């Protein structure tokens, strides 16, 4: 028999009854049932129940065993009684009576329990990550990650891609984040960099004629941590192709990712239609360039309804250049309680608040005398001259009725659209409520309602100013509204390509032009586009959003040196500077560079979504904490003086 096991802890079943077996694993939990010890023995594959009573020759030793001790047992497989079968685990029909025991590794008192669902501080979990990873949910997350990577590789190979490895110690990469620098011992005063991405190397591979490249690539960026981002390193499915258009890249990566989400999504719906949304429209409709399309809410510009209105705050705001008012429809949100709650949310985000209108059933019903008049007014046409005269007389008799005089005036002017509008506003069974509605009046309120397509029981929220100042808050408000009102379909993966990113932006304070996004994207229109207004130039750059996260980023590359130099010139960088910083790539492009493009998909983030986790550290084997520290390995650590001398470095203490 093997020194440690004849089977794993997930293999034994009823067919093994009577067999003598050897198992090794960890003590998941111990139960003492009146002198009979039951132990759940766990390994990577599953759990087997083993038991021991005073008839066993190792009973006394077994009584000493505690949780998370690593042990080996020999024993006989027995069938469980029918009423004791556990159909939740593969080994639930059997148990093993222990005849021999070996302690492979005893455990000290545990700083965190592996069995159960107790919550522990993240710092504790990361310091004792080797214990944290023993928990079932973490084992499943890491297995999922491995399976996802294997599936990605298989799907890329099936599309005739080959995997090539790129250097880890290299020069700085033009990705826009901070580099991790590596001092050179052989070249004092000079530094390598850990690659932020294999960007330059994969482009150089295209110049070298390797038509289709991919790699599960480690990337290193010194970034501020977020729940969906590591502060040090991450992995991405990196790919590049020659002689392709933007659509070719979409058509290549889309089936790979769709297949992965269908394979590992746990039965959740995966959208088949992946719309292409311009960066401009995404910002307008969703307040972000990584929209969650599971939420059906689309924001709209409603500036014209407030221009010159009785709501002075918005009216005066719109007198300034570059300002606008946007509305966030909130279907089923038509209660003052919900509106007040959202107004408080905006204040918590640093804004004065959010204006709102909600539509509700009118408290005072239209009386029976007026009902036929209302019905007739709503259907009034240019041919109804006799009816017009009769109705006008009725309205004059009802001068005290709210709106009657305004409607009578509109009839006299034969403005029947306004007649129908005012009748709806004053005599319908529902009304617009809230301070905004009172300030701007029923005509503007009704125009807003019709534009947004909302009605009784619904609400709308309003934010104003320069879009960059409130867009992000509007996007977060849209998310909160969708979640709180139950509008967001949580059992679904919804994808969207965000396209047409601007290449340049203008600094409002300095008036200086700089790159807004990837400076190495090919401008749409090439050199000709760069001769016009730089702020109008769009790049062949694209991101893929899913459920509010950016999963993929890529571009068709600017492979022509003259266009690259012109783009950098507009941003204030001379040719000498470009050659100095990106000399390897610029030099290569002078020797017959093909048109090429590609993208990179974040492996960690994809697995996070598939595992239904909110924090990327739940799907990374050994992550850093929020302060970019490895509490288990004590990194970063202070170097020894001898190491510093070899590198010709000196650490200057912080004041």
């Amino acid at each position: 028999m093997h020194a440690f096991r004849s089977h794993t802890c997930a293999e034994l079943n009823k067919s093994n009854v009577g067999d003598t077996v050897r198992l090794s694993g960890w003590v998941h939990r111990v139960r003492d049932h009146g002198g009979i010890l039951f132990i759940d023995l766990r390994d990577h594959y599953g759990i087997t129940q083993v038991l021991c009573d005073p008839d066993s020759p190792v009973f006394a030793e077994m009584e000493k065993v505690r949780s998370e001790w690593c042990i080996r047992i020999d024993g006989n497989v027995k069938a469980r009684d029918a009423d004791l079968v556990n159909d939740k685990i593969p080994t639930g029909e059997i148990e093993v009576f222990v005849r021999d025991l070996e302690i492979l590794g005893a455990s000290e008192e545990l700083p965190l329990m592996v069995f159960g669902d107790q919550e522990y501080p993240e710092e504790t979990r990361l310091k004792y990550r080797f214990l944290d990873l023993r928990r079932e949910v973490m084992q499943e997350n890491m297995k999922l990650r491995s399976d996802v990577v294997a599936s990605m590789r298989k799907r890329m190979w099936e599309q005739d891609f080959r995997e090539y490895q790129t250097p880890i110690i290299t020069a700085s990469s033009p990705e826009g984040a901070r580099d991790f620098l590596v001092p050179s011992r052989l070249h004092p005063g000079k530094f390598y960099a850990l690659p932020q991405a294999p960007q330059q190397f994969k482009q150089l591979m295209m110049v070298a004629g390797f038509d289709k490249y991919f790699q599960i690539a480690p990337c290193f960026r010194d970034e501020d941590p977020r729940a969906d981002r590591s502060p040090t390193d991450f992995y991405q499915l990196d790919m590049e192709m020659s002689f392709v258009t933007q659509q070719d890249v979409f058509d290549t990566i889309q089936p790979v990712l769709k297949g992965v989400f269908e394979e590992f999504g746990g039965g959740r719906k995966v959208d088949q239609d992946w719309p292409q949304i311009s960066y401009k429209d995404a910002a307008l409709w969703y307040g972000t360039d990584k929209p969650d399309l599971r939420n059906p809410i689309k924001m709209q510009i409603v500036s014209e309804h407030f221009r010159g209105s009785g709501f002075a705050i918005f009216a005066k705001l719109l007198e300034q250049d570059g300002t606008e008012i946007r509305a966030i429809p909130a279907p089923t949100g038509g209660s003052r309680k919900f509106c007040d709650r959202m107004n408080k949310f905006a204040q918590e985000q640093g804004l004065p608040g959010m204006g709102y209108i909600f539509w509700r059933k009118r408290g005072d019903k239209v009386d029976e005398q007026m009902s036929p008049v209302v019905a007739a007014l709503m259907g009034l046409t240019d041919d109804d001259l006799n009816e017009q005269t009769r109705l006008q007389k009725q309205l004059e008799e009802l001068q005290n009725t709210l709106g009657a005089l305004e409607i009578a005036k509109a009839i006299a002017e034969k403005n029947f659209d306004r007649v129908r509008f005012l009748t709806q506003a004053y005599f319908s069974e529902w009304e617009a409520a809230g301070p905004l509605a009172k300030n701007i009046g029923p005509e503007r309120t009704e125009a807003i309602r019709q534009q947004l397509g909302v009605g009784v029981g619904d609400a709308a929220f309003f934010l104003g100013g320069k879009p960059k100042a409130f867009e992000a808050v509007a996007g977060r408000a849209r998310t909160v509204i969708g979640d709180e009102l139950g509008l967001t379909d949580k059992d679904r993966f919804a994808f969207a390509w965000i396209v047409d990113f601007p290449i340049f932006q203008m600094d409002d304070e300095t008036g200086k032009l700089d790159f807004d996004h990837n400076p190495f994207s090919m401008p749409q229109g090439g050199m000709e586009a760069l001769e016009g207004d730089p702020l109008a130039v769009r790049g062949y750059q694209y991101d893929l959003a899913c459920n509010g996260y950016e999963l993929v980023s890529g571009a068709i590359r600017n492979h022509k040196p003259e266009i690259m130099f012109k783009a950098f010139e507009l941003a204030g960088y001379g040719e000498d500077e470009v050659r100095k910083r990106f000399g390897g790539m610029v030099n290569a492009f002078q020797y017959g560079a093909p048109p090429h493009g590609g993208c990179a998909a974040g492996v960690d983030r994809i697995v996070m979504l598939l595992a239904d986790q909110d924090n990327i550290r739940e799907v990374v084997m050994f992550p850093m904490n929020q302060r970019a520290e490895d509490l288990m390995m004590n990194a970063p650590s202070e170097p020894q003086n001898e190491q510093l001398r070899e590198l010709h470095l000196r650490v200057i203490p912080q004041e």
Side-chain angles (χ1 to χ4, degrees):
M1 190 178 291
H2 189 274
F4 296 111
R5 59 186 175 191
S6 60
H7 300 78
T8 72
C9 291
E11 283 185 302
L12 299 175
N13 55 49
K14 214 167 187 178
S15 68
N16 297 107
V17 171
D19 292 352
T20 298
V21 299
R22 177 170 288 176
L23 303 176
S24 290
W26 288 267
V27 175
H28 194 56
R29 63 172 176 166
V30 181
R31 305 185 303 283
D32 187 343
H33 287 191
I36 302 177
L37 297 175
F38 289 88
I39 289 178
D40 290 337
L41 190 64
R42 182 195 74 244
D43 65 7
H44 176 67
Y45 305 96
I47 288 178
T48 298
Q49 178 174 283
V50 304
L51 71 153
C52 190
D53 64 18
D55 291 337
S56 171
V58 292
F59 181 75
E61 291 181 69
M62 192 64 100
E63 284 187 304
K64 301 174 185 176
V65 167
R66 297 291 179 265
S67 291
E68 296 308 306
W69 284 31
C70 187
I71 65 174
R72 172 195 58 81
I73 64 101
D74 291 350
N76 304 116
V77 181
K78 295 185 174 185
R80 294 199 200 189
D81 293 340
D83 57 340
L84 297 177
V85 168
N86 181 359
D87 55 13
K88 295 181 180 179
I89 59 175
T91 60
E93 291 183 302
I94 60 92
E95 57 193 5
V96 178
F97 185 81
V98 179
R99 297 290 183 187
D100 191 26
L101 167 69
E102 180 184 1
I103 308 298
L104 300 176
S107 172
E108 296 182 3
E109 185 176 347
L110 296 169
L112 59 86
M113 293 299 296
V114 174
F115 171 73
D117 297 320
Q118 297 97 322
E119 291 292 328
Y120 292 95
E122 187 177 69
E123 300 295 286
T124 301
R125 292 180 58 200
L126 294 182
K127 182 176 181 179
Y128 299 98
R129 187 63 163 182
F130 47 85
L131 290 177
D132 189 48
L133 287 169
R134 291 183 188 177
R135 296 188 301 121
E136 182 180 7
V137 64
M138 299 304 294
Q139 291 272 317
E140 293 303 316
N141 285 352
M142 299 311 152
K143 286 190 283 186
L144 172 64
R145 181 189 179 99
S146 177
D147 293 344
V148 166
V149 169
S151 180
M152 287 177 170
R153 280 197 164 101
K154 177 175 175 288
R155 294 173 191 279
M156 294 302 290
W157 277 98
E158 287 173 350
Q159 295 200 64
D160 297 325
F161 281 77
R162 282 191 168 86
E163 185 167 10
Y164 302 100
Q165 284 69 46
T166 51
I168 296 298
I169 298 292
T170 181
S172 180
S173 178
E175 293 296 312
R178 297 183 193 91
D179 288 317
F180 281 106
L181 297 178
V182 180
S184 170
R185 178 181 61 84
L186 297 177
H187 304 279
K190 294 187 177 181
F191 292 79
Y192 303 102
L194 301 181
Q196 294 185 34
Q199 183 67 49
Q200 294 191 69
F201 289 107
K202 69 177 180 177
Q203 290 191 246
L204 292 170
M205 274 190 263
M206 297 303 103
V207 179
F210 293 91
D211 197 73
K212 290 183 175 181
Y213 142 90
F214 89 97
Q215 180 185 188
I216 305 297
C219 303
F220 306 89
R221 298 183 186 181
D222 185 0
E223 297 188 296
D224 296 328
R226 296 190 315 225
D228 67 332
R229 184 173 69 190
S230 167
T232 53
D233 56 290
F234 60 93
Y235 280 80
Q236 63 188 31
L237 167 59
D238 199 56
M239 60 163 279
E240 197 77 7
M241 309 161 66
S242 288
F243 308 110
V244 292
T245 64
Q246 178 172 282
Q247 189 61 47
D248 292 325
V249 178
F250 295 173
D251 293 343
T252 298
I253 195 65
Q254 188 162 320
V256 173
L257 296 182
K258 184 164 72 72
V260 166
F261 275 85
E262 288 173 342
E263 184 177 356
F264 300 104
R268 283 169 283 184
K269 180 185 174 184
V270 179
D271 283 7
Q272 302 301 302
D273 178 31
W274 296 14
Q276 295 180 25
I277 303 170
S278 73
Y279 174 79
K280 180 180 179 182
D281 285 342
L284 167 59
W285 295 340
Y286 310 114
T288 175
D289 59 359
K290 39 184 178 289
D292 186 349
L293 297 191
R294 299 175 302 167
N295 180 346
I297 295 173
K298 265 189 181 182
M299 296 186 282
Q300 297 186 42
I301 298 174
V302 291
S303 303
E304 291 309 309
H305 305 305
F306 289 96
R307 209 177 297 279
S309 72
F311 189 62
I313 295 175
F314 281 176
K316 290 179 180 178
L317 195 65
L318 290 170
E319 293 174 2
Q320 303 172 29
D321 291 339
T323 58
E324 63 187 34
I325 311 300
R326 290 188 190 174
I328 313 172
T332 74
S335 72
R336 189 175 297 278
K337 184 178 179 181
F338 179 72
C339 291
D340 287 343
R341 194 155 72 246
M342 288 308 303
N343 189 49
K344 183 181 178 183
F345 164 82
Q347 292 170 346
E348 290 170 349
Q349 299 294 309
L351 296 180
M354 278 197 299
Y356 61 82
I357 300 172
F358 64 98
W359 287 265
R360 65 187 179 189
K361 287 189 175 182
R362 194 181 294 275
D364 49 331
K365 295 282 187 180
V366 177
D367 61 40
E368 292 183 6
Q369 183 184 12
M370 198 63 191
S371 291
V373 180
V374 171
L377 288 171
M378 290 298 291
L380 201 61
T381 67
D382 292 345
D383 296 328
D384 295 331
L385 297 179
N386 293 331
E387 184 75 1
Q388 166 194 336
T389 304
R390 185 178 67 80
L391 291 170
Q392 192 158 5
K393 287 182 179 179
Q394 284 183 303
L395 284 165
E396 289 170 357
E397 293 173 5
L398 296 167
Q399 285 185 13
N400 292 331
T401 303
L402 179 65
L405 292 177
E406 286 187 68
I407 295 171
K409 181 181 178 184
I411 292 175
E413 295 170 348
K414 297 185 179 181
N415 186 349
F416 300 130
D417 284 338
R418 181 165 174 76
V419 170
R420 285 187 289 275
F421 165 76
L422 290 171
T423 305
Q424 177 72 42
Y426 286 118
F427 300 112
S428 66
E429 292 187 356
W430 50 268
E431 63 180 348
L436 259 184
K438 293 177 182 178
N439 276 283
I440 65 176
E443 190 167 2
R444 292 176 185 264
T445 304
E446 175 61 11
I448 290 172
R449 187 196 69 79
Q450 291 187 18
Q451 178 182 334
L452 300 180
V454 294
V456 64
D458 300 335
F461 297 90
F462 304 88
L463 290 165
K466 293 189 176 180
K468 281 194 174 181
F470 69 80
E471 216 162 51
V473 174
R476 290 193 289 273
R478 171 185 173 270
T479 298
V480 171
I481 292 168
D483 288 344
E484 292 209 8
L485 298 179
L487 304 174
T488 303
D489 181 1
K490 298 292 187 178
D491 196 33
R492 172 183 162 209
F493 294 110
F495 296 85
W497 286 107
I498 310 302
V499 298
D500 301 337
F501 281 80
I503 287 186
F504 300 103
Q505 65 176 345
M506 184 76 75
D507 188 298
D508 291 337
E509 294 183 3
T510 65
K512 183 182 181 298
L513 199 69
D514 204 350
F515 290 110
D516 193 12
H517 291 91
N518 190 331
F520 294 93
S521 303
M522 178 64 80
Q524 297 179 18
M527 183 67 83
E528 186 177 339
L530 298 179
E531 302 293 346
D533 178 8
L535 296 178
V537 179
R538 299 293 176 261
Y540 286 113
Q541 182 179 348
Y542 36 83
D543 287 353
L544 180 67
C546 176
N547 294 8
Y549 294 95
E550 177 197 308
L551 294 191
V552 173
S553 186
I556 298 299
R557 317 302 177 186
N558 187 348
H559 68 286
K560 295 187 176 182
E562 65 274 16
I563 299 179
M564 187 185 300
F565 290 140
K566 179 64 176 177
F568 274 90
E569 178 189 325
L570 291 172
Y573 302 94
E575 182 176 330
D576 290 343
E577 179 69 14
V578 177
R579 288 187 181 277
K580 179 181 177 182
R581 296 179 63 181
F582 315 114
M585 203 157 59
V586 173
N587 186 44
F589 285 172
Q590 297 176 116
Y591 295 93
H596 59 282
C599 64
V603 171
D604 310 309
R605 210 168 279 173
I606 288 170
V607 178
M608 184 184 78
L609 283 179
L610 291 169
D612 201 23
Q613 298 287 345
D614 296 324
N615 194 311
I616 208 164
R617 289 183 287 281
E618 298 299 318
V619 297
V620 175
M621 190 74 81
F622 297 108
M624 300 280 184
N625 67 4
Q626 286 277 14
R627 299 182 61 212
E629 297 169 316
D630 184 341
L631 301 179
M632 187 176 60
M633 302 299 288
N634 193 30
S637 59
E638 294 180 358
Q640 297 178 1
N641 288 332
E642 183 180 340
Q643 291 173 310
L644 292 174
R645 281 195 296 270
E646 281 188 332
L647 296 169
H648 302 276
L649 294 177
R650 181 165 60 92
V651 176
I652 301 174
Q654 278 190 312
E655 293 182 5

